[in-house]
Amino acid sequence: MSEVEWHREMLADRRRVRDFGEAVRAVVQPGDVVLDLGTGTGLLALFACRGGARKVYAVEQGYIIDVARQIARQNGLGDRIVFIQGHSTEVDLPESVDLIVTETVGSFGLEEQILKNLSDARRRFLKPGGRLLPDRLDLFLAPTEEGGHYRRWGGEIREDWDLDFAPLADLGKHVSQGLWADPGKFLGSPQKLLSCDFYQDQSEKVQGEVQVEVVRQGEIAGWVGWFAVRCERRLVTSTEPPVPGSSWENVFFPIGEPVAARPGDLVCLRMRLDDPFWTWRFTMSHPPVDRTMGDFFSYPPAAFKPAGGGMADSED
Ligand SMILES: C[S@@+](CC[C@H](N)C(=O)[O-])C[C@H]1O[C@@H](n2cnc3c(N)ncnc32)[C@H](O)[C@@H]1O
């Protein structure tokens, strides 16, 4: 997907736009100086102006900033929004701000490096007593039967050309994938993995663990993850399933081969973020399973070790 298609899709996501629009309206105060970190097409900067901001610094690393500039002018707000092209950690502002707004929230919350970037912006640009939107992010997980479609990856090539692309499906067993989850496929209640308070300095090494009791018989294919973001204790938005058609997909974390589970079994997922890569460890006592998986998608293939790579499977 090109950058412009991505932005078009996000703007067409009425729920996302409504939720952030209402949140900006609730938090911005007349006369505020605002930073929009990752302004994209300028959406939150425009909302902040509508809410009475005196000035908005709109920082964006991508070329979409040129379009944002035109959109601001088109809406008569070119004189109140100062566009700055660059990565937020590498730019300076001429003054400190009352409010930082950002929608740099990944499908599983943290993969756009909001922790590092918002923390840097808060320390360098926010006035004492200034506000953040969002100021908190929670991550949730549930074990699911859904998501094993990667096992069929390459099936068409085998059928049509008699070529074996099994290593692709093998990789699919280990890396996270987007899907709009069906909560009817959950095998137990969702649990909160962790919370990030953006007013606090956060380590880029974030970890957490969930333990869920299986409530019905089935096969666990993996876990589904989603996020909720808040501001001043109010929910801004959440991708709790079902959110079909949302510009944020839920995230499926596979566990290798699916595992049969019965009511009463305890299943556990431990997750660690080495920004921006997740590693997850799935364990259950019955049957005994202990598997470690992780996202290696930006590394060269040589770094991907399907059978080694820290995976220990006590089933074998
Ligand atoms: C998810 S999009 C949202 C765009 C816009 N705020 C909106 O709500 O439609 C995030 C944008 O932030 C930009 N971005 C992410 N991190 C950034 C950073 N640290 N500095 C500058 N731009 C950043 C990306 O290039 C992308 O255009």
Side-chain angles (χ1 to χ4, degrees), residues 3 6-7 10-11 16-17 20 36-45 59-62 64 84 86-89 102-106 112-114 117-118 248:
E3 191 176 338
W6 180 46
H7 284 285
M10 287 188 288
L11 293 172
R16 185 191 81 97
V17 172
F20 270 87
D36 178 8
L37 193 168
T39 198
T41 52
L43 181 71
L44 303 192
V59 175
E60 170 58 47
Q61 62 195 355
I64 200 75
I84 302 173
H87 193 274
S88 61
T89 57
T102 189
E103 196 287 76
T104 50
V105 181
E112 288 185 41
Q113 301 195 290
I114 189 172
N117 297 333
L118 189 48
W248 286 290

Side-chain angles (χ1 to χ4, degrees), residues 1-13 16 41 63-64 67 247:
M1 189 186 288
S2 70
E3 191 176 338
V4 70
E5 282 174 293
W6 180 46
H7 284 285
R8 191 208 62 79
E9 194 174 278
M10 287 188 288
L11 293 172
D13 181 346
R16 185 191 81 97
T41 52
Y63 72 78
I64 200 75
V67 180
S247 55

Side-chain angles (χ1 to χ4, degrees), residues 168-220:
L168 190 69
D170 210 36
L171 179 63
K173 281 185 211 165
H174 296 262
V175 294
S176 62
Q177 293 147 50
L179 91 173
W180 291 307
D182 173 1
K185 303 282 185 190
F186 292 172
L187 287 164
S189 308
Q191 302 285 326
K192 189 188 286 183
L193 174 72
L194 53 88
S195 292
C196 301
D197 174 352
F198 293 134
Y199 286 109
Q200 306 296 323
D201 277 327
Q202 305 266 345
S203 154
E204 281 158 40
K205 280 202 184 283
V206 173
Q207 48 194 0
E209 178 178 329
V210 290
Q211 199 174 60
V212 174
E213 183 176 334
V214 172
V215 292
R216 64 182 176 81
Q217 188 135 348
E219 265 203 341
I220 302 177

Side-chain angles (χ1 to χ4, degrees), residues 75-98:
N75 287 280
L77 293 168
D79 56 337
R80 275 160 70 194
I81 305 178
V82 177
F83 288 94
I84 302 173
Q85 181 156 21
H87 193 274
S88 61
T89 57
E90 289 165 7
V91 303
D92 267 321
L93 301 187
E95 60 184 318
S96 43
V97 303
D98 304 287

